[in-house]
Amino acid sequence: MAENIDGKAIAGEVVEKVTSRARELAADGIVPGLAVVIVGEDPASQVYVASKSRKAKECGFHSVQHSLAVDTPEDDLLALVETLNRDPAIHGILVQLPLPDHIDTGRIIQTIAPEKDVDGFHYTNVGKLGTGALEEAFVPCTPAGAMLLLERVRGRDLSGLSAVVIGRSNIVGKPMANLLLAANATVTIAHSRTNDLPAVARGADILVAAVGRPQMIKAAWIKPGATVIDVGINRIPAPERGEGKTRLVGDVDFEGAESVAGAITPVPGGVGPMTIAMLMANTLTSACRANGKRPPAL
Ligand code: NAD
């Protein structure tokens, strides 16, 4: 039976380290500041943003939330981002995606000052990650968190191991592949145009699923003993829980995979809780960099 990688517990440890370092910084008069910006009323985004702001407060950060109307003009949002760029009390700026259609998301992201881009989506941070300058980059929170989970099982050096990432998004798949490469894994990125995906997946000592298709990856796709990191979060009907009820599942068929994999992240409770923890860690790192302090090792 596969080892269950407890993302909830590991995320808790990260938040504890961040909180304790934030307390030390406070003694020097430094308070990490996170600004979260949301445009519109999307219920899922509202939940994410509220939990990010709440977690920042729990960590002892200065936490501000800007909630803008769905019809906010792009120029107003740009102006807000520029104001936050100049605000010395703010070390991290997060603009919740997706933005309404009339706003050019790329333009907004590229306006965030790279040194405050705690989501790691600015070209400068993408480039730093791509060139292996990890100490200077902000790495997107979900793959950064997935990497920490993987480290608990496989250590920091993945030399000689083959990793397959299924999914090539800019938010998860590509940065994950770069992180694995930086850790010396031999990396394959598979996606919707890959031939014979099961065979590709079966070659992986480390299999990362970031597709967004419920339980697509079956036990037969997994190399015995592989470490499986399931980034997918999918809501499916759960009539067994009552009429109209739903439940969350990953991209991996967990029950089948558990008997083949060496270690696996569950959904929920695996990668999910790591994302917000890494956002806190990135914000703390930003405050440390801005004040010439070393961020804590995670
Ligand atoms: P995306 O839709 O941007 O990208 C999905 C990728 O999967 C694409 O590159 C596509 O080529 C690939 N793909 C689609 N169908 C495929 C198929 N049949 N076979 C092989 N590859 C296929 O999604 P994303 O933003 O990268 O997110 C992926 C999953 O991770 C989603 O379930 C999302 O909810 C989840 N996610 C979780 C967190 C978190 O844990 N906090 C954060 C971000 C995303």
Side-chain angles (χ1 to χ4, degrees):
M1 219 42 167
E3 175 193 342
N4 222 306
I5 306 172
D6 188 348
K8 211 171 156 198
I10 297 168
E13 289 169 25
V14 170
V15 168
E16 225 167 78
K17 281 186 193 164
V18 168
T19 308
S20 109
R21 189 57 197 278
R23 221 175 281 130
E24 286 170 22
L25 290 177
D28 289 337
I30 301 164
V31 181
L34 175 66
V36 181
V37 181
I38 179 166
V39 185
E41 305 287 333
D42 178 61
S45 294
Q46 295 278 352
V47 171
Y48 292 144
V49 161
S51 61
K52 286 168 186 173
S53 298
R54 198 170 47 241
K55 188 66 79 182
K57 284 196 190 107
E58 279 171 36
C59 290
F61 293 1
H62 167 56
S63 168
V64 289
Q65 186 176 322
H66 294 269
S67 301
L68 307 183
V70 69
D71 57 357
T72 298
E74 183 176 299
D75 283 348
D76 289 9
L77 180 55
L78 282 173
L80 172 60
V81 169
E82 278 161 0
T83 304
L84 294 170
N85 282 345
R86 288 190 301 269
D87 184 345
I90 296 299
H91 303 97
I93 302 170
L94 181 144
V95 178
Q96 184 66 39
L97 303 181
L99 289 168
D101 289 346
H102 69 279
I103 294 177
D104 179 348
T105 301
R107 192 163 170 229
I108 301 298
I109 289 172
Q110 302 311 323
T111 301
I112 297 173
E115 66 277 11
K116 296 190 179 187
D117 168 40
V118 284
D119 252 342
F121 297 158
H122 191 284
Y123 293 145
T124 298
N125 286 311
V126 175
K128 284 178 177 174
L129 172 59
T131 51
L134 296 186
E135 293 302 311
E136 294 169 36
F138 282 115
V139 176
C141 301
T142 299
M147 213 51 204
L148 264 192
L149 297 185
L150 178 60
E151 268 177 33
R152 296 294 174 111
V153 182
R154 295 283 190 167
R156 287 191 173 212
D157 185 3
L158 306 176
S159 295
L161 296 175
S162 95
V164 173
V165 180
I166 312 183
R168 58 172 163 179
S169 73
N170 291 331
I171 294 174
V172 187
K174 284 182 204 157
M176 188 72 208
N178 268 324
L179 286 169
L180 290 161
L181 194 57
N184 301 319
T186 302
V187 183
T188 302
I189 305 179
H191 47 77
S192 53
R193 307 292 178 93
T194 299
N195 277 343
D196 200 354
L197 196 54
V200 174
R202 264 195 300 274
D205 301 305
I206 296 160
L207 183 62
V208 181
V211 183
R213 293 188 183 261
Q215 299 165 314
M216 179 182 93
I217 291 148
K218 306 294 178 199
W221 300 27
I222 296 169
K223 181 174 174 176
T227 304
V228 178
I229 306 289
D230 190 353
V231 183
I233 300 181
N234 312 287
R235 195 165 278 287
I236 61 165
E240 72 281 4
R241 293 185 179 181
E243 207 188 306
K245 297 278 185 204
T246 60
R247 68 187 176 105
L248 291 181
V249 296
D251 291 343
V252 178
D253 173 16
F254 185 84
E255 275 166 28
E258 225 185 356
S259 58
V260 187
I264 185 166
T265 61
V267 178
V271 177
M274 294 302 289
T275 299
I276 199 162
M278 298 315 287
L279 175 66
M280 300 304 125
N282 279 353
T283 305
L284 179 80
T285 295
S286 181
C288 288
R289 287 178 186 162
N291 290 281
K293 308 260 181 198
R294 269 185 81 78
L298 293 175

